Amino acid sequence: AVQDSTDIVFSITGLSGPEAVRYDPDQDVYFVASFGESGDDPRDANGFISRVSARTGAVEALRFMTGTAGAPLHMPRGMFIRGDTLWVADVDGVHGFLRRTGRHAAFIDFTAHAPGFLNDIAVGDDGLLYVTDTGLGRVYRVRADGVAEVAVEDERTGPPNGITWDAARSAFLLAPWGGETMLRSWDPATGEIRDVVRLVGGRFDGIEIVDGAVLVASQVDSTLHRVAGVASRPLIRVPGRPADIGVDTRRGHVAVPYIALDRVDVWRIHGPPLIGLVELPGVFGTPDPDGPPGSRLPSDLVPVPLHAAPSAGSPLVATVSAADALVAWEYSADAPAAMAYGVTDGWVRVSLRESGSRQRTGWVPPGHQGTLHPLGTLLEEGLSYLTREWDGLLHDAPSATAAATGHPREGTGEEVDVNVLEVVRSGDVTWLRVEILAPGRCETGRAAVQASGWVPALAADGAPNAWFYSRGC
């Protein structure tokens, strides 16, 4: 389902034409670039960058970064952090600010190239800055000596608006502006430009990689779209025209600036959906048939690589050897398996357990997996219950638009024992046909069916509405 305003965490107000956001994970703050009170002159020196708490949305310093007399800040746009410097695209070049103090540290002049509209900025795997020129259909490279040069000028670039480095493809992704809707990658080492996917929407602006998928802002339909593999779908419908988005990698939030609304909305991004449990013998071992219950064969333990994408050529996210490094559950007594969040071409997506930050995910190659237990099968065959995430509604049919009735719980947030009779897929939602049991089967050993109906297997935020007792009652 497309996320709506109920997923707004907070809004950042008191701004003036905010165009871009960049998250600083070290300081846990957003930098927000604003045009300021702009008239007809694009070189009015009214631009500024604010420092905002990523935890609360409070503006800590409205004009934290400004230009100088020799290098005025006019209309700051895309930003990127390299080391201790926040680099910012502007009308005539790129500014560098010290991200901890806000002091102006550098300016790289692009006027020798007569730029059309410098827009977004990113860093490649070579450590160099790359800047899009939406007006002229170019991408510039800033060499190690601080001189800007044209890296590519090709109509297939879009023309480019947003730019981000995609480590899985070892190339930049270029968000197209104007009438183009093809998302393309560009390899600065070889010059190769490739089609990635035909996007829905148009006039694309900010682009980021989130959990291995691409998040791109479309101004035509005021929507953030998520691209995974070769599929594009709407993720978040926003109230204005989204500009250059920023991602809080600690919490899984996306900050969306709207120039015309003078504000930034910070949205919660729903994670990838849970699809089941996957056995990983290299991490959890395999059952020892000659040992006591729950014993495993230690000889089978081999570190398991996690890749950034379902491809052997993609970079490693981590190499896992400890069972407690993964988000896991038992599929039966003393038989742990990793939570699985996707499967593509034999690769399975799992999640690292990381306290205090957003959980990272990675892809396990086919040769390192055991059995994948689909969520629906676990629920049908196990002693199942509806979790505290369930909204209490029983639908007459497997559809969000079907008539629904509320079912009272015995207490607030209580789990409800059920029989799962059927599992069906409707669109992109898995539905469960359940019988609600009362009293609970584990209370008396006997239970009567109190009500029946359909519930979605997952809540809106991706958490399971139904789960199972792996060790029985």
Side-chain angles (χ1 to χ4, degrees):
V2 179
Q3 296 178 227
D4 56 23
S5 59
T6 59
D7 288 308
I8 294 178
V9 182
F10 53 74
S11 295
I12 305 168
T13 59
L15 306 171
S16 182
E19 201 280 337
V21 182
R22 175 59 57 177
Y23 176 67
D24 183 341
D26 291 341
Q27 302 183 86
D28 196 23
V29 298
Y30 290 118
F31 294 118
V32 182
S34 292
F35 290 164
E37 296 297 329
S38 298
D40 296 331
D41 184 5
R43 294 177 176 82
D44 55 15
N46 286 336
F48 61 91
I49 296 169
S50 305
R51 176 188 167 109
V52 179
S53 168
R55 184 176 64 85
T56 66
V59 178
E60 298 178 351
L62 182 64
R63 302 178 67 86
F64 184 62
M65 298 171 178
T66 58
T68 65
L73 186 63
H74 301 298
M75 300 181 74
R77 299 156 189 163
M79 298 175 284
F80 199 91
I81 294 172
R82 185 180 67 179
D84 281 330
T85 304
L86 177 74
W87 293 98
V88 186
D90 197 6
V91 175
D92 294 320
V94 172
H95 299 264
F97 295 92
L98 298 184
R99 63 188 175 96
R100 299 186 185 278
T101 66
R103 184 173 66 85
H104 192 279
F107 179 72
I108 301 171
D109 193 340
F110 280 53
T111 54
H113 299 286
F117 194 93
L118 300 181
N119 209 330
D120 199 10
I121 186 169
V123 170
D125 65 347
D126 55 8
L128 300 179
L129 298 171
Y130 290 80
V131 184
T132 61
D133 185 335
T134 308
L136 298 180
R138 295 173 176 171
V139 179
Y140 300 98
R141 177 191 295 112
V142 178
R143 302 190 318 233
D145 61 3
V147 175
E149 63 182 11
V150 177
V152 62
E153 184 172 4
D154 191 303
E155 63 180 11
R156 291 176 296 165
T157 60
N161 185 326
I163 184 173
T164 192
W165 179 256
D166 185 352
R169 293 181 172 86
S170 296
F172 285 108
L173 295 180
L174 304 175
W177 188 248
E180 179 60 80
T181 59
M182 177 60 72
L183 177 66
R184 293 186 172 97
S185 65
W186 167 64
D187 184 343
T190 65
E192 184 177 23
I193 298 174
R194 290 187 173 184
D195 293 351
V196 175
V197 65
R198 180 72 64 185
L199 297 169
V200 178
R203 297 175 75 87
F204 300 97
D205 200 318
I207 184 170
E208 296 288 342
I209 306 292
V210 180
D211 285 334
V214 180
L215 195 61
V216 60
S218 164
Q219 295 197 2
V220 163
D221 55 4
S222 295
T223 299
L224 303 190
H225 294 266
R226 182 179 184 272
V227 179
V230 295
S232 173
R233 68 175 182 87
L235 181 69
I236 302 174
R237 200 83 66 192
V238 298
R241 295 179 179 177
D244 192 357
I245 58 178
V247 174
D248 176 347
T249 53
R250 178 178 299 189
R251 300 174 182 86
H253 295 166
V254 58
V256 184
Y258 321 104
I259 299 171
L261 301 181
D262 291 333
R263 81 167 193 259
V264 173
D265 288 338
V266 175
W267 300 72
R268 183 180 299 104
I269 306 174
H270 294 172
L274 177 69
I275 64 166
L277 299 174
V278 61
E279 298 179 39
L280 300 178
V283 174
F284 303 110
T286 54
D288 183 354
D290 301 320
S295 63
R296 321 295 282 178
L297 294 171
S299 60
D300 290 341
L301 299 181
V302 177
V304 173
L306 301 186
H307 289 255
S311 167
S314 65
L316 283 176
V317 172
T319 300
V320 178
S321 56
D324 59 2
L326 295 171
V327 179
W329 192 264
E330 293 179 338
Y331 60 90
S332 63
D334 297 313
M339 299 278 199
Y341 297 93
V343 57
T344 299
D345 296 331
W347 292 67
V348 177
R349 192 179 197 180
V350 299
S351 181
L352 290 164
R353 188 186 301 277
E354 297 178 323
S355 60
S357 67
R358 177 170 170 79
Q359 292 172 343
R360 289 184 299 155
T361 62
W363 293 86
V364 180
H368 290 268
Q369 306 162 20
T371 302
L372 174 63
H373 302 273
L375 178 60
T377 301
L378 293 168
L379 297 176
E380 282 185 298
E381 298 179 353
L383 298 179
S384 300
Y385 60 88
L386 296 176
T387 69
R388 294 173 174 84
E389 299 292 332
W390 175 51
D391 61 9
L393 295 179
L394 290 172
H395 294 257
D396 292 345
S399 169
T401 60
T405 55
H407 179 79
R409 299 174 186 263
E410 293 182 2
T412 303
E414 289 294 323
E415 297 168 349
V416 179
D417 284 358
V418 295
N419 291 325
V420 177
L421 305 178
E422 188 178 359
V423 181
V424 302
R425 188 81 172 168
S426 178
D428 60 353
V429 178
T430 298
W431 287 83
L432 311 173
R433 184 165 66 90
V434 302
E435 292 177 335
I436 291 181
L437 305 177
R441 63 164 67 88
C442 293
E443 296 177 24
T444 64
R446 294 179 299 173
V449 176
Q450 189 180 55
S452 62
W454 293 88
V455 299
L458 303 178
D461 62 358
N465 277 326
W467 202 240
F468 64 98
Y469 301 107
S470 61
R471 302 191 177 202
C473 293

